[in-house]
């Protein structure tokens, strides 16, 4: 058992924050599943833009699509859906063994619908039908409109990865939307045993922005908090997860077979080279969670990771750090909203480049 497999025995799932046709065709994804315990994959416009630019396996299909499909967006979708289906098929044994709790591949709704709830629901339904795999998750942004769409999609029985979450308030709103969506589904007479969702909380970008603000303040107290906001946020979010999904609010739904909405740590590759490569991995190992790892971070974990349950350590310290940040004038809700808006814009820019690549 290697380091990554050991981590999965502690109750945390490892998903790969990458997907390309090369990973599928050359057997790398299958090997990661077998040897490292990878049990899910995520994709987004930035990831697929890189895949399309670097993999040699798209050229023939793209040339064929250009002769029969005039719309660049549909050509892009055809290429990506093929990869998503292949990933779903590789992960299906995990999905089956886990009873639908793990083994998913995620496909994102076009970023331009991030502030349109009705169109997000429509697009999610269309993409879900196009992929036609039971272990697909549709990625929906955690904007207010995206959360509204998520609630509707949960009621409709579509499994969702709520992405671009950057704050405790956003994460709590997503949890509550999941509860409402499940309850509404029950009221329609539909079952909830096959319902599953994750809440993707982004980490490194939070520290990048907060560290800039702390540097501007410049006091010893402020500087001592650099690189700590994201871990504190994640630990407090997990405490909220335990309160909701192991508490009375979820008890009735759990009795009907519903699964909790799992917290997923996203943006776990460090952006500050001075920080430890596993800053957003080792401190956040905990039961009933997922960590999505880019290739470089996965390699670091495999090489020198020290898996141990640490997510529930230091809760008092995390709470104190949260109070200290507020006292210094750093509004973490504002930080979250700023980063979410930036995230939507970054994904939209990548999406537009994708359309040019497939044009």
């Amino acid at each position: 058992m290697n380091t990554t497999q050991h981590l999965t025995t502690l109750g945390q799932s490892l998903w790969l924050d990458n997907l390309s046709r090369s990973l599928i065709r050359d057997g790398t994804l299958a090997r990661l599943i077998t040897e490292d315990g990878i049990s899910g994959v995520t994709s987004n416009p930035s990831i697929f833009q890189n895949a399309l630019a670097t993999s040699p396996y798209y050229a023939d299909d793209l040339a064929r699509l250009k002769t029969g499909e005039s719309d660049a967006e549909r050509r892009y979708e055809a290429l990506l859906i093929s990869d998503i289906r292949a990933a779903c098929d590789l992960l299906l044994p995990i999905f089956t063994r886990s009873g639908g709790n793990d083994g998913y591949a995620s496909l994102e709704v076009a970023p331009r619908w991030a502030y349109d709830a009705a169109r997000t629901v429509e697009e999610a339904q269309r993409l879900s039908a196009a992929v036609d795999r039971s272990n697909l998750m549709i990625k929906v942004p955690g904007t207010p409109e995206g959360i509204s769409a998520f609630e509707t999609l949960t009621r409709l029985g579509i499994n969702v990865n709520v992405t671009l979450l950057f704050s405790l308030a956003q994460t709590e709103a997503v949890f509550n939307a999941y509860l409402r969506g499940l309850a509404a589904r029950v009221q329609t007479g539909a079952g909830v045993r096959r319902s599953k969702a994750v809440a993707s909380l982004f980490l490194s970008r939070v520290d990048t922005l907060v560290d800039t603000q702390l540097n501007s303040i410049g006091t010893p107290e402020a500087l001592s908090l650099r690189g700590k906001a994201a871990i504190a946020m994640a630990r407090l979010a997990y405490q909220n997860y335990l309160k909701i999904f192991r508490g009375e609010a979820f008890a009735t739904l759990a009795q009907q077979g519903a699964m909790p909405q799992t917290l997923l740590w996203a943006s776990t590759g460090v952006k500050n080279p001075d920080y430890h490569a596993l800053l957003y991995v080792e401190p956040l190992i905990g039961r009933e969670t997922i960590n999505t790892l880019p290739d470089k971070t996965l390699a670091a974990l495999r090489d020198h990771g020290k898996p141990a349950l640490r997510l529930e350590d230091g809760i008092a310290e995390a709470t104190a750090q949260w109070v200290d940040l507020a006292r210094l004038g750093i509004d973490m809700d504002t930080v979250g909203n700023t980063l979410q808006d930036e995230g939507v814009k970054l994904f939209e820019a990548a999406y537009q480049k994708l359309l040019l690549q497939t044009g």
Side-chain angles (χ1 to χ4, degrees), residues 76-307:
Y76 149 74
E77 284 185 358
L79 293 172
L80 180 54
I81 284 172
S82 176
D83 291 354
I84 291 289
R85 283 175 178 159
C88 283
D89 292 345
L90 285 171
L91 293 162
L92 185 59
I94 298 169
F95 174 81
T96 302
R97 287 197 305 270
S98 68
N101 193 47
D102 206 349
Y104 288 90
S106 296
L107 170 62
E108 189 145 358
V109 170
R112 69 173 174 276
W113 308 121
Y115 304 105
D116 186 330
R119 191 58 186 266
T120 296
V121 170
E122 180 183 326
E123 289 295 293
Q125 291 176 294
R126 182 181 65 82
L127 291 171
S128 181
V131 175
D132 192 25
R133 294 294 188 274
S134 56
N135 56 333
L136 170 73
M137 277 191 172
I138 297 295
K139 292 182 80 173
V140 169
T143 60
E145 296 81 1
I147 292 173
S148 175
F150 165 54
E151 181 178 336
T152 300
L153 291 167
T154 300
R155 175 176 58 81
L156 295 173
I158 292 178
N159 295 336
V160 176
N161 176 343
V162 185
T163 188
L164 292 178
L165 301 176
F166 295 90
S167 73
L168 291 177
Q170 292 167 0
T171 306
E172 184 173 4
V174 166
F175 286 160
N176 289 328
Y178 184 58
L179 296 179
R180 293 193 301 269
L182 288 175
R185 183 164 176 79
V186 169
Q187 289 179 351
T188 68
V192 292
R193 290 185 180 276
R194 296 182 179 273
S195 296
K196 179 64 183 177
V198 301
S200 293
L201 186 59
F202 283 57
L203 302 176
S204 64
R205 296 187 196 180
V206 170
D207 276 341
T208 298
L209 179 53
V210 172
D211 283 1
T212 299
Q213 297 179 359
L214 292 170
N215 285 332
S216 296
I217 295 169
T219 64
E221 180 187 17
L223 298 178
S224 72
L225 289 169
R226 289 178 298 182
K228 297 179 179 178
I231 297 298
M233 177 181 68
R235 283 180 163 152
L236 295 175
Y238 185 67
Q239 290 300 303
N240 196 28
Y241 163 86
L242 295 175
K243 179 181 177 182
I244 291 174
F245 291 106
R246 291 187 185 172
E248 185 177 340
F250 191 64
T252 300
L253 291 165
Q255 289 172 359
Q256 297 179 65
M259 293 178 282
Q261 181 177 22
T262 308
L263 271 169
L264 180 152
W265 313 131
S267 186
T268 58
V270 293
K271 292 182 169 51
N272 185 334
D274 293 331
Y275 290 163
H276 191 279
L278 299 176
L279 174 63
Y280 305 112
V281 180
E282 290 180 335
L284 300 181
I285 298 172
R287 299 180 182 90
E288 301 173 24
T289 60
I290 301 166
N291 199 319
T292 51
L293 304 176
D295 297 342
K296 186 176 179 180
T297 308
L298 176 61
L301 176 62
R302 187 191 302 118
D303 180 64
H304 55 265
K306 299 177 181 177

Side-chain angles (χ1 to χ4, degrees), residues 300-323:
L301 176 62
R302 187 191 302 118
D303 180 64
H304 55 265
K306 299 177 181 177
L309 291 172
R310 299 185 181 93
L311 182 54
E312 295 186 74
D313 296 344
I315 301 304
E317 181 183 19
T319 302
Q321 290 166 346
W322 213 246
V323 171

Side-chain angles (χ1 to χ4, degrees), residues 17 43-47 49 108-112 139 141 163-164 166 202 205 340-354:
D17 194 21
S43 183
N44 61 47
S46 297
I47 288 173
Q49 182 198 349
E108 189 145 358
V109 170
R112 69 173 174 276
K139 292 182 80 173
T163 188
L164 292 178
F166 295 90
F202 283 57
R205 296 187 196 180
Q340 187 176 83
D341 289 341
E342 289 179 358
V344 171
K345 290 175 183 176
L346 287 170
F347 280 172
E348 175 60 18
Y351 193 81
Q352 292 304 317
K353 289 180 181 177
L354 268 172

